[in-house]
Amino acid sequence: ELTVSTHVQPNIAISQAECLPIRAMGMKKKHKTFSKRGPRNAKGSNFKYKKKKSDVEKAEISLLESSKTKLDGLNPEEIESFRVLPLSKKTLKGLREAGFTVPTKVQRQSLIFSLRGQDVVAAAKTGSGKTLAFIIPLLELLYHKKWTGMDGLGVLVITPTRELAYQIFEVLNKVGKEHDFSAGLVIGGKDLKYEWNRISSCNIMICTPGRLLQHMTENAEFVSDNVQMLVLDEADQCLSMGFADTMNCILEELPSERQTLLFSATQTRDVKDLIRAGCNNPIFCSVHEHSKTITPKSLQESYVLCSAHDKFTFLWSFIRHHRKHKILVFLATCKQVQYYFHMLCKLQPGLSVMGLHGSMHQLRRMAVYDEFCRKKHAVLIATDVAARGLDIPAVDWVVQVDCPEDVTTYIHRVGRTARYSRSGEAILLLTPSEEPAMLDCLKAKNIPIEKIDVDQSKLQGANVKMEIVLSKYNNLKEEAVRAFKSYLKHVALMRNKKVFDVASIDLDALARSLGLVVTPRVRFIEKQLKQKSGSNTTNPAPAGTSTQSNTNKALTSRLTTLNFGADDSDEDDDFLSTAKDQNIGLSEEDSQDTEVVEEPQKTQSKKKPLTKYAVVKKLLKKNIQVNQRVIFDEEGEEILDPRKQQISQAARKEQKEDVTGINISKLKQIMHEEDKVDKKIHASKLKEKNCVKRKAREQAREAKKARQAQSNTLESLPVDEQEQLALFLLRNKH
Ligand SMILES: Nc1ncnc2c1ncn2[C@@H]1O[C@H](COP(=O)(O)OP(=O)(O)OP(=O)(O)O)[C@@H](O)[C@H]1O
C-alpha cells in the first residue's frame, strides 16, 4: 500500500472550515477526516464562517503589491536569495524550511515575470529547478488574491504522468505548508468516488489530463470558472499529439482571463501550441539557450555498440559490476520491463531490482517510485513513464537499453541523473543499424556523447541460467515470448526508419538472448519476409533481402568475436573503457540498403481485406456447391439433423426454389418464421422437461407419505410388538 513519507506536513490547509488538507485528495483514508469542519449553516452551506484576514496579512499584501514594481528593473543575476524577491512571509518560511534559499537560474529568470502576472514559456535543462519556478508564483497569486475555500479552484497544474503529479504535490506540500490553501492530487488509477464531492473545495489541483477531463465532463461538483492560473509542466508533451484531444477539451473549458505558465526542458515554440494553451504575449525564458550543450554539464554521456541480442548480457554484466550504485534502466515496452524485472529478480544480481511501467496498478506504481527514491543502491527497470520530470534522488547511472524514440526522449531520460548540483552518468546502447542515424540526430542537437568500448572478457553471460529459470517457470517463459514480440513490434512501429530497422535484428539470436530455446513466430515479420522473397523472384537484386542477409552476416560475425565468459571479477573493475574507434557494424553499403527496406504498412495497404461477404459472392458467382456435413448411423443410414427437419414453410419453399443471389427482405421474413418454429420447439422441450420434473416431484412426495404412514403404524403399536416387527422387517431385508 502507498506509504506517505513522514517529512510531509499534512496540515497545510485548513483554517477554512471546508478546506481540505493539501494531502487529503491523494492519500490514505486516515487523511480523509476533517477535524476542523464546521457544522452546516442555516442556508445549507458547508461554510460556517469566513476567517477574516488579519490586518498584518493585509498590510503585507499591500506592501508586496507595491514592491512588485521593483521587479521591473531587477537584474535576474543579482537575485542572490529568495528574500530579494517580493514573496510573502509564508512562502519564504516554507522555502527556508524545505532547504531552498538561493534561487536557480530558471527560477531567477522566470519569477520576475511570473510574479508580475505575465504569461511565461520557460525552457531549462533537466534538474534545474523548474518545479519551484511555478510553485512559488501560484502560491503568491492565491495569497495576493486572498483566496479562500469558498473561492473554489484557483490554480490548475497539468502534468503528463501520475508520478510527476505526485512529485509536484509533494513539493507543494513542503513549500506551501504555511499557507491556508487546499490542494488535491487528481490522477488516474485512484478512487474516483472519493474525489467526487471533495473536488469542489480544492484551491490548487495537480492533475493528469485524462482524470481532469473526466471530472470536467462527468462531475457537476467540478467548477473551473474561477481558475486564475494554468500551469503545464512538461508542456511540450501535454500539448503533443498524444494528448491533443483531451487537452483541447480541457483548454476550451477554462476561462480565457488567466495567467498561463509553460515549463519543460524541451519546450515547444510552436506558435499554434502556444495559442492553443491560451498564452497571451508570453515571455520566453530559454535559460540555457546559449550554453554549449543541451544536457546538464555534470552529466557524462556515452554510448556502446551492442546488437539487440547482446543487450541482456550487457545489462546483466553492468548491474553485476555496479552493485553499489543506483541505476535507472530504460526499456521500450511494458512487456519487456515485466520480463527483465522478473528474470533479474530470479537471477539475483546482488542488489534490489524494481520494475515500473504504465500497466501497473497505481498504488504499486507509487510504492515502487517511493521505494526507489529511498534506496541507496538499487536498479529500476522502467519504460518512458519514468523518463520525464521525476526527481529521484542520487541516481548514479541511466542506462538506455533500448534506443529512445527521438532526441527529446533521450534528453528527458538522461536527465534523471546529474540533477541540480549532482553529477551522473548516462549510457546508451545502440545496435549497429541504429548507430549512424541516431548519432547524427544527437550531434545535431549538441549532445556531447562519446563512444566507449566494452571489455569483452568482463561480460558475463546469463543465458544458461536463464534457460534453466524458464524451464522451471512456465509463466516467465510466456513473458519472455511477449517481451520478444513486443520489442520487435516496437521497432517496426517506430517512425524514424533511418534509426529503427526491424529487418536488421537476428531473431534467433534475440530469442536465445532472452533465454528462449525456440524462436517465437512473429507473423508480421514472416509476412514481410515473404513479400520480400516474392519480389526477389521478379527482381534479381532486391534491396530488402540483401539487407537482411548482409546485416545478419555482419551481426553473426560480431557475435563470434564476443566472449561470453563467466568472469566473476570485482565490481570496481569497470568493464567500460573509452573509444578506440573500432570499426564494428555495418558497412556504408549496408546502411544505405537499410533505408530502402519497405515499410510494412505500405505493402499491406495494397491488398484488399477478404471479407465473408466477398467469399460468399465469389461462391455464388462461380456457382460452387459448398460441402455439406452428413452424419450416418451404424447401418449407413443418413441421420437427418432434427433442427433442419423443423424448418418453416417459407424456408422449405425457399430451399426448393433454385435462386441465386441474396434477397435480404425475404431472408428476414424466413428468419422470422424460423424463429417462431424454434420458439415452438423450445417451448415443447421445456414442457417435456417440466413434466418429467413434476412427475419426479410427485413420486418423491408419495414415497415420503408412504414412509410416514409406515412409521405412524409402527409407533401406534406397543413397544414389544414394535421390536418384534422391526426384527421381522430386518430379517426379511437380509
Ligand atoms: N533553489 C533551489 N535550491 C536548492 N535545490 C533546488 C532549488 N530548486 C530546485 N532544487 C532541487 O533541484 C532538483 C531538481 O528540481 P526539479 O525537479 O524542479 O527540476 P526540473 O527542472 O523540473 O527537472 P525536469 O526537467 O527533469 O523535470 C530537486 O531535487 C530540487 O529539490
Side-chain angles (χ1 to χ4, degrees), residues 696-715:
R697 269 202 305 271
E698 273 170 16
Q699 274 175 2
R701 220 179 296 136
E702 273 167 20
K704 200 178 167 187
K705 264 185 196 169
R707 272 200 306 277
Q708 252 176 5
Q710 211 175 32
S711 66
N712 286 347
T713 46
L714 209 65
E715 276 166 21

Side-chain angles (χ1 to χ4, degrees), residues 100 102 104 107 126-131 234 389 391 416 419-420:
F100 305 125
V102 181
T104 63
Q107 289 159 8
T126 51
S128 56
K130 292 185 286 290
T131 313
E234 305 298 342
D391 185 44
R416 294 321 98 209
R419 297 179 70 72
Y420 190 52

